[in-house]
Amino acid sequence: MADVISMEEIRETASSLGVDISQVDLASIRLPPGEDLGIISDDDDLNEDDPLEYDAGFGNMVVVDNLPVVPKEKFEKLEGVVRKIFSQIGVIKEDGLWMPIDDTTQKTLGYCFIEYNTPQSQDYQWEGGKALMRGAEAELAKEKTHNYKLDRSHIFSVNMFDDIEKFMKVPDEWAPPETKPYASGENLQQWLTDEKARDQFVIRSGTDTEVLWNDARHLKPEPVYKRSFWTESFVQWSPLGTYLATVHRQGAAVWGGASTFNRLMRYAHPQVKIIDFSPGERYLVTYSSHEPSNPRDTHRVVLNIFDVRTGKVMRDFKGSADEFAVGGTGGVTGVSWPVFRWGGGKDDKYFARIGKNVISVYETETFTLIDKKSIKVDNVMDFSWSPTEPILALFVPELGGGNQPARVSLVQIPSKEELRQKNLFSVSDCKMYWQSNGDYLAVKVDRYTKTKKSTYTGFELFRIKERDIPIEVLELENKNDKIIAFAWEPKGHRFAVIHGDSPRPDISFYSMRSTHNAGRVSKLATLKGKQANALFWSPAGRFIILAGLKGFNGQLEFYNVDELETMATAEHFMATDIEWDPTGR
């Protein structure tokens, strides 16, 4: 790094040279190309890959075809109709609507050009090594008005102006694509062959991101790979641990390998905020939110679903944040996350999203709606997939002041056949919990008392794999106990419930099998007065952590459910999150 000198020394040097420093515009000084005076830029690591090249083009302009051909005297009326339709989407530039006229007939030619104000935010489309700027308003205009029926004879055909140039370059004769020689890559599951059967974990600190081996027998973890400025936002493992994803201004990337973590693929999506993998790692969902050009409008949302291996966009979804704000627990800028929930197990065959009075289920063979239409369910509030089978569980609240009861339905996909339905009365809230193998579904139902002044909680337990899907009702001994947490044992038949009043509620363990009857739920034990508000089963079952997080000062109790005994206690003051390693060790 260059030596640092004070401003006083600079003034003295300038005075000895006869230079009046006050007359020098320091901002106008430019270093020679490639010169950095020995000071390395913090951004160099980000720029070592091929930089994205942006092409402004005509991204805020659309071409509208199939307009009526009218004489000059009807020109103003047609322009007014077109302007009214397209100005609902965004602000059209002054003189931004141009309708060409035939010099011979003095009639319109049946198409027009519309140019929107350059928006505060743009979308980008990756094409030919360039990121083409696409105006959000122009994209929305194409999306909303393409195939718009003006009358029986005139159905709009709307294209981006930039696309017209692309279509003109399509060669007249087809040529077969160039075949690239096969290049064998690294074994992305190499970590599974570790002699000590260890797992890797990733930690970020400051600008550094480091992957390490987890070895409980050594106090110091063994390093695998470390890199500075690896990501601009966060890193995320894929569900099966094959990839490590990084997030940047230009999009996302995935990395993997035995020890070097090479970049395997990039996914161009500027201003990406959050990402989500499908359970089988075949697809990656990316999300971005863009400020509207009109302050009264909601944020514009862009969602892309990429094929993880090829980097190809399989389907994109664009619209206002309001369109993606229904259902879900987490979210960003008013959008519930994840927007899409994956079903059918690790085959990644289906994904679905909730809308107003509909569940839209898509299949990944064509990335279109099953039967080309959504499932209509009036006032549907929530849904969840079985972790292993293409079965949807839907919750619909009470309607008409209780005249129409709430209900939970199980729907088979792709047939859309209803497998089971349970009507529920006096419901205030409902939550659904699937067991990891899809063997059981627990529905926690909060109900109003007769006076409607308070609520009590019970469970509806569905046995999914048994004939006719029998349902069992479980109520706690004290029906007025507040339910603080619920958790299934992974791959098992037991579940745990924290119930009662803080700061020392009770914890009860139940089994879906009793000693004499495999088809009856039975209580195993109740632990009285525990300082806990969260439950964390080991991924292998048997052991559970009874945790007092946040305001409970990080009290941790390790409990063996097989023996019904405490193994150890610990404390991590003000702990907020807990994560088991995948083996449960």
Side-chain angles (χ1 to χ4, degrees), residues 120-146:
Q120 293 171 10
S121 66
Q122 280 101 4
D123 294 339
Y124 299 82
Q125 182 169 311
W126 185 255
E127 200 167 285
K130 292 183 180 180
L132 297 179
M133 278 181 156
R134 308 304 291 258
E137 293 168 326
E139 278 279 3
L140 192 60
K142 176 189 168 185
E143 189 179 321
K144 298 291 185 187
T145 61
H146 183 64

Side-chain angles (χ1 to χ4, degrees), residues 171-201:
D172 295 332
E173 291 187 16
W174 178 81
E178 184 184 342
T179 305
K180 294 181 180 178
Y182 171 73
S184 61
E186 276 196 89
N187 179 5
L188 302 181
Q189 275 80 37
Q190 181 74 29
W191 55 278
L192 289 172
T193 64
D194 179 59
E195 290 180 356
K196 299 177 184 175
R198 298 172 298 177
D199 281 297
Q200 294 177 352
F201 66 97

Side-chain angles (χ1 to χ4, degrees), residues 72-327:
K72 221 170 185 181
E73 54 268 25
K74 292 187 178 179
F75 181 89
E76 198 172 319
K77 183 179 179 182
L78 177 60
E79 185 182 359
V81 170
V82 173
R83 188 179 292 276
K84 184 178 179 181
I85 293 168
F86 284 87
S87 61
Q88 291 175 25
I89 289 155
V91 181
I92 296 174
K93 267 190 175 182
E94 192 176 342
D95 299 326
L97 197 162
W98 181 51
M99 212 173 287
I101 295 175
D102 188 316
D103 293 333
T104 309
T105 63
Q106 290 298 297
K107 289 183 178 180
T108 59
L109 291 171
Y111 62 89
C112 74
F113 301 89
I114 296 173
E115 187 176 5
Y116 286 97
N117 272 340
T118 304
Q120 293 171 10
S121 66
Q122 280 101 4
D123 294 339
Y124 299 82
Q125 182 169 311
W126 185 255
E127 200 167 285
K130 292 183 180 180
L132 297 179
M133 278 181 156
R134 308 304 291 258
E137 293 168 326
E139 278 279 3
L140 192 60
K142 176 189 168 185
E143 189 179 321
K144 298 291 185 187
T145 61
H146 183 64
N147 290 328
Y148 177 86
K149 195 171 183 180
L150 186 64
D151 56 41
R152 189 177 291 178
S153 306
H154 300 95
I155 299 171
F156 289 174
S157 174
V158 183
N159 288 284
M160 300 294 292
F161 186 87
D162 282 341
D163 290 341
I164 303 295
E165 185 182 5
K166 183 177 72 176
F167 299 148
M168 296 293 288
K169 289 179 180 177
V170 175
D172 295 332
E173 291 187 16
W174 178 81
E178 184 184 342
T179 305
K180 294 181 180 178
Y182 171 73
S184 61
E186 276 196 89
N187 179 5
L188 302 181
Q189 275 80 37
Q190 181 74 29
W191 55 278
L192 289 172
T193 64
D194 179 59
E195 290 180 356
K196 299 177 184 175
R198 298 172 298 177
D199 281 297
Q200 294 177 352
F201 66 97
V202 64
I203 279 184
R204 289 193 63 223
S205 175
T207 58
D208 293 339
T209 304
E210 190 167 9
V211 179
L212 305 125
W213 286 111
N214 176 42
D215 193 337
R217 289 166 296 184
H218 296 89
L219 293 176
K220 193 174 180 182
E222 184 184 323
V224 178
Y225 185 73
K226 183 177 180 179
R227 183 167 173 167
S228 297
F229 301 104
W230 198 355
T231 180
E232 294 175 59
S233 182
F234 60 90
V235 293
Q236 182 172 321
W237 289 109
S238 60
L240 305 177
T242 309
Y243 308 105
L244 182 66
T246 58
V247 177
H248 312 269
R249 278 166 293 185
Q250 305 101 318
V254 293
W255 310 71
S259 59
T260 54
F261 279 85
N262 296 313
R263 189 181 66 210
L264 305 170
M265 185 55 64
R266 287 195 297 180
Y267 312 96
H269 186 156
Q271 301 174 49
V272 61
K273 298 282 196 304
I274 39 181
I275 61 173
D276 182 44
F277 283 93
S278 62
E281 304 183 334
R282 292 180 63 189
Y283 304 105
L284 177 72
V285 183
T286 59
Y287 162 93
S288 65
S289 173
H290 306 272
E291 293 279 349
S293 54
N294 186 339
R296 288 174 295 182
D297 294 339
T298 58
H299 283 72
R300 177 161 163 72
V301 165
V302 178
L303 288 146
N304 289 325
I305 303 180
F306 292 92
D307 183 297
V308 169
R309 289 195 176 187
T310 66
K312 181 183 176 185
V313 178
M314 306 307 293
R315 177 80 195 253
D316 63 359
F317 295 83
K318 296 170 185 174
S320 69
D322 294 342
E323 294 175 49
F324 300 96
V326 183

